């Protein structure tokens, strides 16, 4: 039975050496760790209110759930990826990773207070720069922001953009409203202005149920439901005309899965043909817009076997769309089998290197500088 | 148009009648249901209206692209009234020319989503009487759905038991967007009754619900709402599997209606993978989710997904299984699927029989 489900790994994965890992998760920092990176007001009030003793881990991403901690990567603490040493020896060295983008999943992005959220996001970004990026040249960062207040998010983006080790802006999949809504557009304009893709990562605020049928009992259900949330976000971004308004914007869906893309294309394109009078600014079918503007990190690969994966890739019919990721330390595959054989060597190279370079201008600039040397 | 038929009818079996699993009967006048309602509820409706968790009274919050809440423009009966409100015209436009041997009525009167639960139960009972009176009585090709107000399980079961002796009814209709996810235990008495009486549960895409219409929040456009209908159905399947409904009621039949079906393959893949990872959270789920789905769940086909390369749909058919699919038109809605043109890929005679006829005949126990 398990054999059937895991047969995607019945062949050894392809080599990942020299690849750019577009979704790697250093453990979410303890709040106390962030105190030195907060402004004085927040430092004082956090201690006064006992916030420094709260974990601020998100229900959408329980740190010790089996999907979030691969058992052979789990430290004695029960967490994984909580030291630079662990990331080096478990995630960077074994895969031969050339560069990895750190996506810190932290409750700062979903605090109800706009100001507290912004202060915490700023502290996490500073912590990432000082504790990780300064110490390991193979690491790159994502600027985390809280999407709920676009003024504050834009300020953080502009402040952090000067540091070119930050290569994208990171928000979560579930927010107050669908992400195509105009309240979020200033964030997209700021990202594009600074040549930063917008990364939308699984997880979210839980301010409304993660499904249209209410609150699921189990975490596994809400994890499965992330794919539907991503589909809604994808159609929202397309239908609202975000890519028409901000033509330079690149969006990266992280930990969204991608094997649902064919059915998305088939349904969205067909429905668009029927109701396109509703969104007259959309002069192309949704799949064409997605293929040009949206990228997907590799994991999770939700396919049961090599054949289903190969057929799905043919259905997607776009070699530019996937970006290599390990999703470290999440449990998406065994051993070093991060890149299933079905991709083949040619597409593997695109996923590992070419597609990330085409997506992240700042990483591409680094590569060019190295070549010039 | 006549050249669009890729799948030619080559043999005698193909001439057998079709079962259409999704036909929407309509009221000829706004008050047509009144004669089936007690006076108390007629007065209540006149004074307070039929309130649901929906901002507008008596209309959909996302206007459709054609009049009458998204009707086919050619479906307005010549004798007046809205589309699918006139039996003679429904026979003339749908049943007769398309060779429909059985048509399953999916009334959308939304008693199930009415906030006042007693009113909801009364509306469901009235809709059930109305189906017999206006549709299945005069036209035996049509089969009815037992509408129930599922949030009050006791009232729902009373309604099921009141109707169960009449084989004009072939399924129990519950909307997918319930107060709690469909697998939660408050609904189990209904599933127990459905299994006991061997009546499938039909869950038809719904514009009404108690929560945001997507996990991403309230959507802006109809194109988004239309897409999200398929997500509610995915949530239903996910919830029923992980709550252990099919483990507890192994003979229960679930039909998800008007959501398409191409998503079913990647959903099963994702469910299986995550079940394997997080079995410790759901120890009552003994088998991979896809196994329950392949035994207990059927999908109606409309709105059929249309790949740019038609043949890609053959992979979907292989992954989902022709034994899981049941053809539906969604008459008289704008995105109607015509049985002659819906499948733009060649089906084997066996697949064609399964999808257009045999699966539905078995699931609904049609003669």
């Amino acid at each position: 039975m398990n054999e059937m489900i895991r047969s995607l790994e019945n062949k050894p994965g392809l080599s990942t050496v020299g690849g750019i890992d577009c979704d790697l998760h250093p453990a979410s920092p303890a709040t106390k760790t962030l105190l030195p990176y907060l402004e004085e007001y927040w430092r004082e009030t956090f201690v006064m209110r006992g916030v420094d003793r709260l974990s601020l881990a998100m229900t959408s991403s329980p740190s010790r759930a089996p999907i979030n901690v691969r058992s052979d990567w789990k430290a004695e603490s029960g967490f994984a990826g909580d030291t630079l040493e662990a990331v080096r020896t478990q995630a960077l060295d074994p895969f031969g990773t050339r560069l990895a983008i750190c996506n810190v999943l932290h409750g700062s992005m979903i605090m109800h207070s706009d100001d507290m959220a912004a202060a915490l996001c700023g502290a996490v970004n500073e912590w990432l720069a000082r504790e990780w990026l300064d110490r390991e040249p193979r690491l790159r960062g994502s600027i985390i922001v809280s999407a709920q207040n676009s003024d504050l998010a834009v300020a953080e983006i502009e402040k952090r953009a000067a540091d070119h080790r930050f290569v994208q802006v990171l928000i979560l999949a579930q927010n107050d409203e669908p992400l195509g809504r105009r309240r979020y557009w200033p964030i997209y304009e700021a990202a594009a202005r600074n040549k930063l893709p917008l990364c939308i990562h699984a997880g979210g605020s839980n301010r409304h149920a993660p499904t249209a049928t209410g609150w699921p009992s189990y975490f596994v259900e809400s994890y499965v439901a992330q794919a539907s949330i991503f589909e809604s976000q994808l159609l929202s971004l397309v239908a609202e005309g975000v890519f028409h308004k901000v033509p330079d914007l690149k969006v990266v869906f992280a930990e969204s899965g991608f094997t649902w893309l064919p059915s998305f294309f088939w349904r969205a394109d067909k429905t668009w043909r029927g109701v396109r009078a509703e969104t007259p600014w959309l002069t192309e079918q949704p799949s064409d817009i997605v293929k040009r503007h949206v990228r997907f990190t590799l994991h999770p690969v939700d396919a049961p076997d090599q054949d289903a994966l190969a057929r799905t890739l043919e259905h997607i019919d776009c070699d530019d769309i996937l970006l290599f990721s390990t999703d470290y330390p999440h449990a998406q595959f065994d051993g070093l089998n991060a890149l299933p054989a079905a991709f083949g060597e040619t597409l593997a190279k695109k996923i590992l290197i070419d597609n990330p370079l085409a997506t992240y201008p700042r990483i591409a600039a680094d590569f060019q500088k190295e070549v010039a040397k | 148009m006549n050249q669009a038929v890729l799948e030619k009818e080559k043999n005698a079996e193909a001439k057998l009648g079709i079962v259409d699993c999704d036909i929407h009967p309509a009221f000829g006048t706004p008050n047509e249901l009144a004669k089936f309602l007690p006076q108390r509820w007629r007065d209540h409706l006149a004074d307070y209206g039929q309130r649901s968790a929906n901002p507008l009274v008596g209309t959909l919050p996302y206007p459709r692209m054609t009049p009458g809440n998204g009707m086919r423009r050619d479906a307005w009966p010549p004798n007046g009234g809205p589309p699918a409100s006139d039996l003679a015209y429904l026979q003339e436009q749908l049943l007769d020319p398309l060779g429909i041997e059985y048509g399953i009525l999916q009334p959308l009167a939304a008693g199930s989503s009415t906030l006042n639960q007693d009113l909801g139960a009364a509306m469901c009972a009235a809709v059930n009487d109305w189906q017999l009176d206006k549709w299945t009585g005069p036209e035996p090709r049509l089969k009815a759905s037992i509408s129930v107000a599922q949030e009050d399980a006791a009232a729902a079961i009373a309604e099921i038991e009141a109707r169960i002796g009449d084989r004009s009814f072939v399924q129990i209709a519950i909307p997918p967007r319930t107060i709690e996810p469909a697998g939660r235990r408050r609904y189990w008495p209904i599933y127990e009754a459905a299994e006991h009486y061997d009546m499938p549960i039909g869950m038809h895409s719904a514009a009404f619900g108690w929560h945001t219409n997507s996990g991403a929040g309230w959507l802006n456009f109809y194109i988004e709402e239309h897409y999200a209908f398929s997500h509610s159905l995915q949530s239903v399947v996910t919830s029923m599997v992980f709550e252990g409904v099919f483990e507890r009621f192994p003979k229960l039949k679930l039909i998800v209606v008007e959501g398409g079906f191409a998503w079913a393959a990647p959903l099963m893949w994702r469910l299986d993978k995550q079940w394997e990872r997080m079995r410790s959270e759901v120890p009552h789920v003994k088998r991979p989710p896809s196994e329950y789905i392949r035994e207990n769940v059927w999908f109606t086909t409309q709105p059929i997904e249309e790949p740019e390369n038609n043949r890609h749909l053959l992979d979907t058919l292989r992954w989902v299984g022709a034994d899981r699919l049941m053809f539906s038109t969604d008459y008289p809605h704008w995105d109607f699927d015509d049985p002659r043109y819906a499948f733009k890929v060649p089906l084997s005679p066996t697949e064609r029989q399964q999808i257009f006829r045999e699966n539905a005949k078995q699931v609904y126990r049609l003669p």
Side-chain angles (χ1 to χ4, degrees):
Chain A
M1 192 182 292
N2 281 0
E3 203 177 314
M4 179 196 81
I5 293 174
R6 301 295 285 281
S7 63
L8 190 59
E9 297 186 36
N10 64 358
K11 288 185 188 171
L14 302 166
S15 167
T16 59
V17 171
I20 297 167
D21 183 347
C22 299
D23 189 28
L24 179 148
H25 302 292
S28 176
T31 312
K32 206 180 274 297
T33 312
L34 297 174
L35 288 179
Y37 304 111
L38 284 161
E39 285 175 24
E40 194 180 347
Y41 168 79
W42 292 109
R43 204 159 50 228
E44 277 184 20
T45 55
F46 275 14
V47 173
M48 184 181 81
R49 298 168 73 180
V51 177
D52 58 325
R53 283 173 268 170
L54 305 177
S55 84
L56 305 186
M58 296 184 286
T59 40
S60 64
S61 185
S63 325
R64 291 178 59 160
I67 186 65
N68 287 340
V69 186
R70 208 175 91 171
S71 55
D72 58 326
W73 288 333
K74 193 190 277 192
E76 275 181 26
S77 61
F79 301 103
D82 51 356
T83 64
L84 181 55
E85 190 56 23
V87 169
R88 280 176 178 147
T89 57
Q90 293 175 337
L92 299 178
D93 298 342
F95 294 96
T97 296
R98 180 154 177 189
L99 290 177
I101 302 173
C102 297
N103 289 332
V104 182
L105 303 178
H106 189 261
S108 52
M109 290 187 272
I110 57 169
M111 301 302 284
H112 284 281
S113 155
D114 287 358
D115 296 309
M116 189 188 292
L120 278 165
C121 285
V124 170
N125 292 329
E126 190 63 23
W127 166 83
L128 183 68
R130 298 285 84 78
E131 307 282 333
W132 296 81
L133 307 185
D134 283 357
R135 293 164 61 200
E136 174 50 67
R138 286 174 290 181
L139 295 181
R140 293 294 181 273
S142 298
I143 303 169
I144 70 166
V145 297
S146 169
Q148 72 201 11
N149 182 313
S150 58
D151 290 346
L152 295 174
V154 168
E156 179 67 18
I157 292 166
E158 296 292 356
K159 177 180 168 188
R160 205 62 60 181
D163 182 343
H164 279 245
R165 297 172 305 175
F166 285 96
V167 298
Q168 66 182 354
V169 174
L170 176 67
I171 60 175
L172 294 171
Q174 194 206 31
N175 300 276
D176 295 336
E177 290 190 274
L179 287 167
R181 292 271 189 176
R182 271 162 253 185
R183 61 182 286 185
Y184 302 114
W185 289 12
I187 300 174
Y188 308 152
E189 284 162 345
R193 196 158 58 233
N194 288 288
K195 297 192 179 345
L196 296 162
L198 173 80
C199 178
I200 302 172
H201 194 284
S205 62
N206 269 354
R207 290 179 198 171
H208 52 257
T211 80
T213 75
W215 294 94
S217 304
Y218 303 109
F219 173 70
V220 64
E221 290 176 75
S222 61
Y223 190 84
V224 168
Q226 294 292 317
S228 293
I229 294 175
F230 273 107
E231 284 193 289
S232 288
Q233 299 295 20
L234 193 53
L235 194 51
S236 171
L237 291 166
V238 167
E240 300 266 5
V242 167
F243 300 112
H244 179 76
K245 178 75 180 174
V246 193
D248 295 334
L249 183 68
K250 277 272 195 307
V251 169
V252 175
F253 276 20
E255 208 179 328
S256 57
F258 63 88
T259 58
W260 47 261
L261 265 175
S263 53
F264 176 90
F265 289 161
W266 304 346
R267 181 173 175 128
D269 287 354
K270 179 185 180 183
T271 312
W272 169 75
R273 288 196 293 274
V275 304
R276 54 186 291 191
E278 189 189 25
T279 52
W281 48 89
L282 287 193
T283 52
E284 295 170 278
Q285 57 184 8
S287 64
D288 289 341
I289 297 171
V290 170
K291 287 174 183 180
R292 198 165 57 242
H293 287 278
V294 187
R295 301 292 172 256
F296 297 78
T297 66
L298 180 62
H299 285 286
V301 181
D302 295 319
D305 53 48
Q306 304 288 345
D307 176 65
L309 179 55
R311 298 300 304 147
T312 299
L313 292 171
E314 189 185 317
H315 296 176
I316 292 172
D317 190 28
C318 180
D319 288 349
D320 305 328
I321 213 164
L322 292 176
L323 307 175
F324 177 65
S325 71
T326 58
D327 197 20
Y328 171 88
H330 297 179
Q332 305 289 13
F333 54 87
D334 289 336
L336 299 177
N337 290 320
L339 198 48
F343 286 107
E345 296 290 346
T346 310
L347 183 55
K349 182 179 169 292
K350 288 210 71 171
I351 293 170
L352 285 163
I353 300 164
D354 302 345
N355 294 347
L357 289 181
T359 304
Y360 296 104
R362 292 175 168 214
I363 293 179
D366 287 348
F367 268 53
Q368 276 182 347
K369 271 185 229 154
E370 273 187 43
V371 172
K373 278 182 204 164
Chain B
M1 198 66 177
N2 51 353
Q3 289 308 308
V5 191
L6 299 182
E7 167 62 11
K8 294 206 176 108
E9 295 183 356
K10 288 174 186 156
N11 51 46
E13 285 103 333
K15 300 259 191 274
L16 289 171
I18 288 168
V19 182
D20 176 356
C21 298
D22 188 17
I23 297 172
H24 295 295
F27 303 132
T29 63
N31 287 328
E32 194 166 296
L33 201 60
K35 73 171 174 176
F36 303 101
L37 279 169
Q39 188 62 43
R40 187 227 153 155
W41 292 118
R42 282 190 239 176
D43 294 343
H44 178 102
L45 283 172
D47 293 346
Y48 298 96
Q50 185 188 353
R51 294 167 49 256
S52 68
N54 169 25
L56 301 175
V57 178
T59 189
L60 298 173
Y62 295 80
R64 303 320 197 219
M65 303 307 289
T66 53
N69 286 327
M71 295 300 170
R72 264 175 64 170
R73 288 184 187 277
D74 63 348
W76 296 82
N79 297 329
S85 68
D86 179 319
L87 175 59
Y89 195 58
L90 185 136
Q91 290 163 329
E92 181 189 327
Q93 187 169 48
L94 180 72
L95 302 182
D96 297 340
L98 299 180
I100 290 170
E101 185 176 349
Y102 293 109
I104 313 300
L105 299 176
Q106 304 274 1
L108 300 178
S112 307
S113 314
T114 299
L115 292 176
N116 180 320
Q117 293 196 5
D118 294 326
L119 172 61
M123 300 236 0
C124 286
V127 162
N128 294 336
D129 282 333
W130 169 77
Q131 290 177 81
L132 299 178
D133 181 74
K134 180 168 176 179
W135 303 98
T136 65
E139 173 49 276
R141 280 179 289 184
L142 296 174
K143 297 295 171 190
S145 300
I146 307 176
S147 287
V148 297
Q150 73 287 335
E151 304 307 336
D152 179 351
I157 288 169
E159 184 64 21
I160 292 167
E161 292 186 335
R163 308 290 175 177
I164 200 71
D166 186 341
R167 281 303 294 160
S168 303
F169 291 99
V170 295
Q171 70 175 348
I172 298 162
I174 295 177
R177 290 177 62 193
T178 42
I179 282 185
E180 293 179 33
R184 301 265 292 187
R185 278 163 227 167
R186 63 185 289 157
Y187 307 113
W188 285 23
I190 301 174
Y191 303 145
E192 187 179 12
E195 187 191 47
H196 175 75
Y197 293 117
D198 194 12
M199 285 289 266
I201 300 279
M203 292 220 188
H204 183 286
S205 285
F208 301 94
W210 281 265
H211 301 274
T212 55
N213 57 358
S214 87
W218 287 108
L219 303 166
N220 185 347
F221 300 108
Y222 171 55
I223 187 176
E224 298 172 85
E225 188 207 23
H226 183 282
Y227 197 100
F229 289 155
S230 67
H231 294 149
S232 311
L233 299 173
Q234 296 188 42
S235 302
V236 162
V237 172
T238 301
S239 172
M240 289 177 78
V241 166
F242 280 132
E243 296 278 359
V245 170
F246 300 121
E247 192 62 44
R248 173 70 179 274
F249 305 109
K251 302 284 184 205
L252 183 66
K253 300 171 181 169
L254 171 70
I255 307 164
V256 297
V257 186
E258 202 181 329
F261 60 92
W263 47 265
L267 177 69
M268 285 192 275
W269 301 343
R270 190 170 172 93
L271 287 168
D272 282 357
K273 183 173 173 183
Q274 295 310 325
W275 168 78
E276 193 204 20
R277 284 284 183 269
M278 291 186 271
R279 290 180 69 168
S280 61
E281 194 191 23
V282 285
H284 50 278
V285 182
K286 308 288 187 203
R287 296 188 287 149
S290 63
E291 289 190 15
Y292 298 105
I293 293 170
R294 291 211 161 86
E295 287 172 18
N296 297 87
V297 184
W298 287 262
F299 308 87
T300 66
T301 53
Q302 185 276 344
I304 191 168
E305 288 87 350
E306 293 185 7
E308 212 158 88
N309 178 340
N310 292 330
R311 288 189 160 264
H312 288 166
L313 198 70
L314 291 174
D315 292 316
T316 295
L317 286 170
R318 182 160 54 89
W319 291 330
V320 179
D323 61 326
R324 299 288 102 196
L325 300 176
M326 309 202 302
F327 177 75
S328 58
T329 63
D330 193 29
Y331 182 87
H333 291 163
W334 70 272
D335 48 350
F336 170 89
D337 275 347
D338 188 311
R340 293 167 296 181
Y341 313 120
F343 281 83
K344 294 180 171 57
V345 288
L347 301 173
S348 74
T350 307
E351 288 170 331
R352 171 160 279 274
Q353 276 203 49
Q354 286 178 300
I355 295 170
F356 283 87
R357 176 182 169 86
E358 292 304 326
N359 296 338
K361 283 195 71 177
Q362 282 175 28
V363 173
Y364 291 118
R365 293 189 290 126
L366 297 169

